[in-house]
Each structure stands twice: as C-alpha cells, then as structure tokens.
Amino acid sequence: MIIEGPVLKYGDKIDTDIIIPARHLKYTDPNYLAQHAMEPLDPEFYKKASKGVVVVAGKVFGMGSSREQAAIALKAAGVRVIVAESFARIFYRNCINNGLPLITLPNATKEIKEGDVVKVNVETGEVRVGNKVLNGKGITGMALDILKAGGIMEYLKRVSQVPTQGG
Amino acid sequence: MTGTLTEKILSRASGRSVSPGDVIEANVDIVAFHDLTGYHVIEVMEKANMMKIFDKSKIVVAFDHLAPPPDVRSAEIQVNIRKFVREMRLPNFHDVNVGILHELLIEKYALPGQVIVAADSHTTTSGALGAFAQGMGASDVAAAVITGKTWMVVPQPFKVELTGTPGKWVNGKDVALKLLGDFKADYFNGMSIEVHVRNPKAFPTDYRATVSNMGIEMNADALMFVPDQETKDYIKTMRGKEVELLTPDPKASYQDEYTIELEKLEPLVAAPYSVDNVKTAREVSNVEVDQVYIGSCTNGRLSDFQMAAEILKGRTVKTRCIVIPSSYEMFKQAMEKGYIETLVNAGCVVTYGTCGPCLGGHFGVAGPGEVIVSTSSRNFRGRMGSNEAKVYLSGPSVAAATAATGRITDPRDLQ
C-alpha cells in the first residue's frame, strides 16, 4: 500500500487533548469530529487537511487519552497516513482499528519539511521525499492483518473467534 | 515459570511462555468502561452486530466523566448505557453515586496477576495492586467485551526501586513527577515499569495508585507495583478477602533499573503544558493561582484529603478550591475522619465520585487566562477547559498550601 501526499508538520508530544478536545467526545460522527481536529494547536487544520495530507510529527504522537475519536477525527479531516518518530500505544491501535495507517520514522521531523510531498509505503515503512529514501518501520503482523480487515471487529468476524453464547 | 512480573502475568494469560517483543493473545480478567467511552463501545458492538458478552461477571461499568450529567447529551449517553446494562443484565454497574472507574477497580475488583483492559487511558491505576492493566480505545474494548481476549505486544520490563520513607509532605505524585522529570514522557514507550518497594508500609496503596495512574503519562504500556504485604492488607481491609501474590522471580532480568530514595524527594510540580516539565514547588512559588483542584483518579484518596485537611485546618482558602474524593467510599471515610468538615470550613467546594474538571468536563472548568493547580494527571493545553488556561500539576500538599496562600506554595514554607 503506497500513499502520497503533501506534509503538514508538527512537533513532539502532540497529545489527544490537542487532536480532539474532550468537549467533543460526546459524539462519534466523523464529519463533526473532523471539523475540530487539532483545533487548539491549528484552527486551520480542517481546511489544510481537506485535500488529503500526510501528517509528520515527533515523539509519542497521540499521547494521553484512549479516545478513539482522535483517530476518527484525523482520518475524516483528510489525513491519509501519519509519519512520526514514535506513537503512543493506545492511539496507534485506535488508528489501526479505524483504517488510518501510521509509520514510525526516527528523525522524521529533521528529514521532512512542511509542504514536502512524500510517498509512504505502509508495509515496508519506506518514505520517499524527492530523491531521498528514508527507512521507517511499517505496519506488520497482527496490526497489518487488522488494518487490512478494516478494524478489529471486521477482523474478529473474519477469524470467527466470536463466542457462540449470546449476552 | 521464571521471569519478570510482566512475563509471568502475560504467560499465564496467554497460555504460553512469553518474552518481550512477542505478539500475544491474552485472556482478560476484567473489561471495563465508563460513560464517556462506554456509549462508544456499545456503538461499535451494535454497528458490528455482535451484541455478545464473554462473561458478564467480568464486565465493570461506572459513570464518572459525565457524573452527574452536566447537559442533555451527557444525560442521554447515561440513559443509553443504563439500558444496555439492563438488557445485558450486567451485575457490576455503578451509577453516578459510586465513584470513578479506576478507583472502584482497585477498591472492589482488581487483583494481583490479573490482566485488565478498559476504555480509558488511566486504567494503568490498577497496576497499584500488581495487575497488568491497560487502557484501550472503544473498538479494542468492544472486542475484549465480546471475546474475553485482546492482542498485545509483550513490553520490555524496566525496574524501579523505591527505598526509604517519604517526607511528611511527599506522596505518590512526587514519585510519578520525579520519573517524568528524569526520563521525560517518551522514554518508557513500549516498556512496562515494575516498581519494587523496599519498605512496603512506607509507600501505601494510595500512593501506589497515583504512580500507576500516571504510568500512562510516562507512555509506559503498564506500571505495576510488585504486590507485597501492603497489597494483601489493602485488599483484606477493603474487601475482607485473602489474596495470593504473583511476584517476579528474584533473578528476573530487566532492561534497566532505577532507584528513587524517597527521603530525598521534595514536593514537585509539572508546569504547563507538559507532564514532564517538572520543577520543585519552590522554583515556581511566585505564581499566582485562581483555582485549586484536589481530586481525580490520580489523587482523590483518603491520604490525599488527610494531607489537604492538615494544611487547611483553621485557614480560609485564598483561591477557589474544589475537592472531589474519587469515590463514595473515599468521601465517607474522609467525612468520618473529619477531613471533609475541615475542608468545607476552609471554604472548599466539595462533591464526590466524578472526574469533574480534570478533563474540562464540569464542576470547575478553567477559564481564559486562569491559572490552576490540580492534583489530576494532565496539564496539556486546553485539558481543563480554556486553551488559554495554565495548569500546574502537584500532589495534595502543594495544592492545599497553594489554596491557603493564593500562590504556588511548598507546604514547608507555610507560615
């Protein structure tokens, strides 16, 4: 899976209260959430991302809360893939479950500039910026299986692990 | 079976001998959610048309984020979850008058050696009792509700040792902030922290719960205290139950180790806007403060109100001061000990069992330009309300001393 797009770049420790503030968590509608993505840091994000973008960021992107709306909001706003130096565990899983791919790339914020057009191989983790080839960590194993299935629930249906007794 | 606590718990839960880096499917002992994530969990189950529950006795539901509901949508969310609880006949449901989910888990449910997943990042709190406890999003929790299993990567274990006895005004918050200040918020990503307490009684379960709670702020996969006599005594006191302890092998091998000498710690704060922007309270003692919040799943327990009451006894607060014991049980005990009366007499606003202003929900949301000192877990921009508010995190002693003077105060400097 290869994804291309222009870069919107952010720094370290972009937390979930930045990605989608708690006052929006009473709803799960992607279109509503998209309009408030990254609101406290970049009120123009929704406009900037709408044509399809690659978010590049520093360390522990998505740290903080378990709110799945963080993944839903970014995806619905137009983020095609996130390339960060590292990710918070819960956020990473939420993205996989919502079909938003992510690549871990050390030095991502040093090697890539705002506005660069990058080409990302989601499985190998290879990121191309102009003639430069950067090697990150792609999505593999269980996470890739879940992403390809379209999230954990679709994955469960596929592997038939659902117990038969009802609730 | 030998190894770290992490390896022992996850080996048992997955039915095979595991090592760090392994991808495993673990059986879970408890799956939990609250109001603000619970409706989303139910939505995911409905959308997938999988309204099944692996074991009703192992599901815990508590209302806390929207308790009591501040607006119509919050009330509607609770109406919908109550309906689900009724239809599914879930026995472990706690409405708005019982407590914050993570506090209820340690008071009533969590046991050493268990695997616990819940739809809230502060699920790490149950690590205080030696459980491997992780927060997850609504979809992952829905999957665990249905199957009783979850997938995970076995984290790298890191050992923290606590030696000695903390000083009078130091508690779990200062240990959590010490770790965050020394290592920064990204260091423990992909690791599980196992805390060994050299002198178990010197660092009680209240303090441990604060440190485990903030394990997520360290981005650790889990933060567990190695269960010991204090753990046994806590569960015996709270539930009248004797428990078995699962402990690491004495020769267990850790990726690295770090020792904190408790008597050397002093009251710390995390300054805006990051949990790892750690300073001593004295370094920021000139900062004027509008509101103090003492409560949350981080620091809303009996020992927190004991410290606050000792400081505010006979004084009148010079900031707005909001006090929220994390559960009915904590509120009742604080009332019986006289702490609530002391705090009310000092001019504090008191309720119980809600997350309140921690996430900017209600009961004291931060306004533009305001400075807050909070015993909760996060000071991110906008976390407690306005983007233009500044939040300093501290333990209850600094919070209470600050309420008494109107500016950030180390309790040792109170006149």
Side-chain angles (χ1 to χ4, degrees), chain B residues 21 35 38 49 62 64 78 81 83 88 189 250 252 254 271 290 299 333 350 381 385 392:
Chain B
D35 38 12
N49 195 25
D64 52 18
Q78 293 190 349
I81 297 174
K83 182 165 169 275
M88 293 292 179
N189 202 359
Y254 291 89
D290 299 291
N299 280 106
Q333 288 184 22
V350 183
R381 189 184 288 277
Y392 290 78

Side-chain angles (χ1 to χ4, degrees), chain B residues 377-397:
Chain B
S377 57
R378 289 185 181 139
N379 58 350
F380 305 152
R381 189 184 288 277
R383 168 73 182 182
M384 293 184 75
S386 168
N387 289 337
E388 282 78 50
K390 287 186 172 153
V391 179
Y392 290 78
L393 303 176
S394 78
S397 66

Side-chain angles (χ1 to χ4, degrees), chain B residues 78-400:
Chain B
Q78 293 190 349
V79 165
N80 293 343
I81 297 174
R82 282 191 200 97
K83 182 165 169 275
F84 174 84
V85 163
R86 223 170 25 242
E87 287 173 0
M88 293 292 179
R89 299 195 185 86
L90 297 181
N92 307 317
F93 168 61
H94 306 285
D95 214 309
V96 298
N97 58 343
V98 191
I100 300 176
L101 176 63
H102 307 304
E103 173 62 17
L104 299 184
L105 286 173
I106 66 167
E107 284 179 12
K108 300 173 192 294
Y109 298 101
L111 291 169
Q114 284 184 331
V115 173
I116 300 173
V117 300
D120 190 278
S121 60
H122 289 110
T123 303
T124 49
T125 314
S126 288
L129 302 180
F132 187 93
Q134 287 194 327
M136 290 188 184
S139 294
D140 276 324
V141 169
V145 167
I146 294 163
T147 64
K149 298 175 199 293
T150 194
W151 76 279
M152 59 175 75
V153 182
V154 178
Q156 295 285 344
F158 183 102
K159 179 177 177 179
V160 170
E161 188 157 36
L162 303 183
T163 65
T165 303
K168 181 172 170 63
W169 300 120
V170 165
N171 80 0
K173 190 56 146 285
D174 304 296
V175 170
L177 293 179
K178 170 79 176 155
L179 285 167
L180 280 161
D182 288 357
F183 288 92
K184 300 300 171 188
D186 63 312
Y187 184 82
F188 293 110
N189 202 359
M191 296 186 208
S192 61
I193 302 171
E194 298 185 10
V195 186
H196 299 238
V197 183
R198 189 79 68 79
N199 176 10
K201 288 294 163 189
F203 208 75
T205 300
D206 276 18
Y207 293 11
R208 299 177 185 202
T210 303
V211 182
S212 290
N213 177 276
M214 291 194 73
I216 188 64
E217 314 315 329
M218 301 167 206
N219 278 290
D221 280 18
L223 194 159
M224 296 181 279
F225 280 77
V226 170
D228 54 24
Q229 190 59 42
E230 162 63 16
T231 316
K232 276 179 98 77
D233 293 348
Y234 173 84
I235 295 170
K236 176 87 178 161
T237 305
M238 297 302 285
R239 307 179 211 167
K241 187 172 172 177
E242 296 288 347
V243 291
E244 296 282 319
L245 301 184
L246 183 68
T247 54
D249 190 79
K251 287 183 222 144
S253 121
Y254 291 89
Q255 176 166 314
D256 209 344
E257 301 188 9
Y258 189 69
T259 300
I260 295 177
E261 296 170 73
L262 293 169
E263 54 275 316
K264 289 194 177 162
L265 283 183
E266 56 182 321
L268 298 173
V269 302
Y273 293 98
S274 182
V275 287
D276 59 7
N277 188 15
V278 174
K279 301 171 189 303
T280 64
R282 280 176 175 161
E283 284 178 277
V284 289
S285 61
N286 55 337
V287 175
E288 291 195 10
V289 174
D290 299 291
Q291 177 173 296
V292 168
Y293 169 39
I294 306 174
S296 83
C297 61
T298 314
N299 280 106
R301 301 185 180 84
L302 192 64
S303 65
D304 298 309
F305 303 110
Q306 180 184 1
M307 264 192 198
E310 192 173 337
I311 287 167
L312 286 171
K313 195 170 183 72
R315 297 176 192 266
T316 301
V317 293
K318 292 192 177 145
T319 67
R320 305 190 300 275
C321 184
I322 291 167
V323 171
I324 309 183
S326 55
S327 70
Y328 176 71
E329 187 60 34
M330 290 300 107
F331 178 74
K332 203 173 66 160
Q333 288 184 22
M335 198 159 56
E336 284 163 6
K337 297 271 188 187
Y339 307 149
I340 298 296
E341 189 181 355
T342 299
L343 294 168
V344 168
N345 285 340
C348 300
V349 183
V350 183
T351 185
Y352 70 87
T354 176
C355 304
C358 166
L359 72 159
H362 59 151
F363 215 80
V365 173
E370 291 201 308
V371 177
I372 314 288
V373 167
S374 174
T375 66
S376 58
S377 57
R378 289 185 181 139
N379 58 350
F380 305 152
R381 189 184 288 277
R383 168 73 182 182
M384 293 184 75
S386 168
N387 289 337
E388 282 78 50
K390 287 186 172 153
V391 179
Y392 290 78
L393 303 176
S394 78
S397 66
V398 172

Side-chain angles (χ1 to χ4, degrees), chain A residues 27 41 64 68:
Chain A
Y27 303 92
L41 185 67
E68 197 156 313

Side-chain angles (χ1 to χ4, degrees), chain A residues 13 25-26 28 68 93, chain B residues 39 43 71 73 139 276:
Chain A
K13 296 188 281 185
L25 300 184
K26 292 165 197 163
T28 57
E68 197 156 313
R93 295 175 70 111
Chain B
Y39 86 92
E43 266 184 29
D71 53 48
R73 173 59 184 152
S139 294
D276 59 7

